[in-house]
Amino acid sequence: MDDYAIGVLTNIALFSFIALSAYLLLIAGEMSFGQQAFFGVGAYAGGILTTLYAWPLPLAALAAMALGAVAQFLVALPTLRLRGLHFAMATLAAAEMARILFELMHWRREIDGELAGPDGTQGFRGIRWIFEHGIEPLHYLGIVGVLLALVLALFLMIERSKLGATLRGVGLDPELAASVGIDVQRIKLGVAAAAGALAALGGVLYAHHNTYIEPRNFDIMLGVHSLAYALIGGLGTAFGPLLGVLLDIGALESTRVFHGYRMIVFGGLVALVLVYRPRGLLDERTVQWLRQRFS
Amino acid sequence: MIADLVQNTLDGLSAGATYALLALGFTLIFGVLRRANLSFGPAIMFGCYAATWTHVNFGAGLLLLALITVSGAVLAGAYVERLCFAPHRGGSAIAAMVASFALWMQFEELATLIMPRHLYAFPLLYEGDPLALGPFTLRIDALAMLGAALAACLALWWTLYRTRFGLAVRALIEQPAAAALAGINVPWVFVRVFALASAIGGVAGYLVVASHGQITPMLGMWATLKGLLAMMLGGLGSLPGAVIGGLALGLIEAHTQWYLGPQMRDLIAYLLLFVLLAARVPWMTTRSAS
């Protein structure tokens, strides 16, 4: 595989994490415009820990996930009772605050004779853990791929369990779910924490793949893209968000067929698909049909 | 001290007037469709780019440029309505919103394809010294902006409160089911509301680029974010609330920017929105999106 193909595949896997976090919230009935914040929290926290404090990446990733979970839990706590656009705007406000805080963050220390660390709008350079530890791009793709596969397996397991049915129940009709004894608030807080951890994991891996991050990477564009990936791919299965990422980054960006027109093509495609399939390509009905055919 | 306060208040009001127009456009669409149109700002940007393109290639007067901006925004708005909102009427709110985001991507790429430079000059509303009144300076273009925004608000008020179409729009906002039963042609009102909202947005867009004297592809995101913010601050779905929200946002921004700088300005605006939403203040909890 050439470097370009490895780069594209790694990007597909990285953005799948944040798309899956948007998907998790969507099936539980919440639309977030703010997943980019927790992706950013993971990227900054992980980068700071490995670069400034010489933590090993796996440990830094765990810490970043915990931080992402706590961050989204704290955002969810006061906004739990908001619905629809109110909730979306509250998450967007939180995410924009996070982005501005990244811009205001100057946390630099001298490492090997050079200043390293987040430098406000100048960005955060030199997140070199994977190079310093001799991890080749293909090897890194393998690590990211295995992690994504683990997350997917977890999703598929949950969707087949009672918890999965509970999640969808809360998403479709919270009042009805509450009336059959489901603690809707607890479920929603749990979903928020899990989505935050998932986005943060994507962020940590993204920062170490790119070696450079800046606050602009985590603006509303990333958040709404992840929402679009989840919705276009379909809300019927956790493979949906992956399909969404694959269509955009895999099919359109990498083939360069529509070079310069990619967003015009992808944008039109998304709008048209949603006309005929408002819950995405792999929606619940399609997934049901596929299951009956192949099992 | 006092002079700064007065000066900032004046500046804040004229910026707030454009925010109010953006919020009114958003509110009209949200009020009757119960859907947020993320492509609202990008459609305005499309109109502004059409005007800039005309200016760069042929040169045109201020009035003609304003006309092109507004018609461009209405045209782009019609495209958004047909592709994102007409098919999802009574269907999924999230699908409509994501579809409108998809078209946002289209508008942005189209703008950079037609006009590849990051920044283009736009003819200024007024070139000359600001008016000096004792210790205060009044920027003539800011004054013109305030006047034009007020005129647009008045025209909108007249349309909504003094015409049959306006009555239909208000009926749909207040009681959608009863309005449909009373024989209002709902799809047709939707189309016209979209055109009206886009036209108001076009006016706001023209005022912004003509007072800054330049245009960048960031205009689309800027207009969508400011419009959403002002609409939410004023209470979702209320027309007078949109005006108050816009003016309040302008005033808050002008004062915080003066004392704390541009980053704190944005931080405080979003913090305020978050706190007000979380506190579920009475004027913001009336209507929900989906």
Side-chain angles (χ1 to χ4, degrees), chain B residues 4-5 8-9 11-12 19 226 229 248-272:
Chain B
D4 289 343
L5 206 68
N8 288 332
T9 304
D11 293 345
Y19 295 161
K226 294 294 180 199
L229 198 54
L249 181 62
L251 287 172
I252 292 164
E253 283 195 357
H255 287 293
T256 49
Q257 167 150 4
W258 177 259
Y259 295 108
L260 302 168
Q263 279 162 331
M264 291 308 279
R265 171 198 69 194
D266 292 343
L267 190 66
I268 285 172
Y270 284 113
L271 183 65
L272 185 69

Side-chain angles (χ1 to χ4, degrees), chain A residues 24 47 57 92 184 195 294:
Chain A
L24 179 59
L57 180 57
L92 174 64
V184 173
F294 296 104

Side-chain angles (χ1 to χ4, degrees), chain A residues 105-148:
Chain A
M105 185 162 63
H106 297 272
W107 186 341
R108 292 171 24 105
R109 287 179 53 195
E110 201 162 310
I111 305 288
D112 301 333
E114 263 181 76
L115 272 180
D119 188 18
T121 49
Q122 297 297 307
F124 181 178
R125 269 167 223 294
I127 308 171
R128 285 192 297 257
W129 196 88
I130 64 169
F131 296 100
E132 283 164 1
H133 291 76
I135 296 172
E136 297 290 316
L138 190 62
H139 186 181
Y140 193 64
L141 171 61
I143 295 171
V144 175
V146 167
L147 284 172
L148 183 62

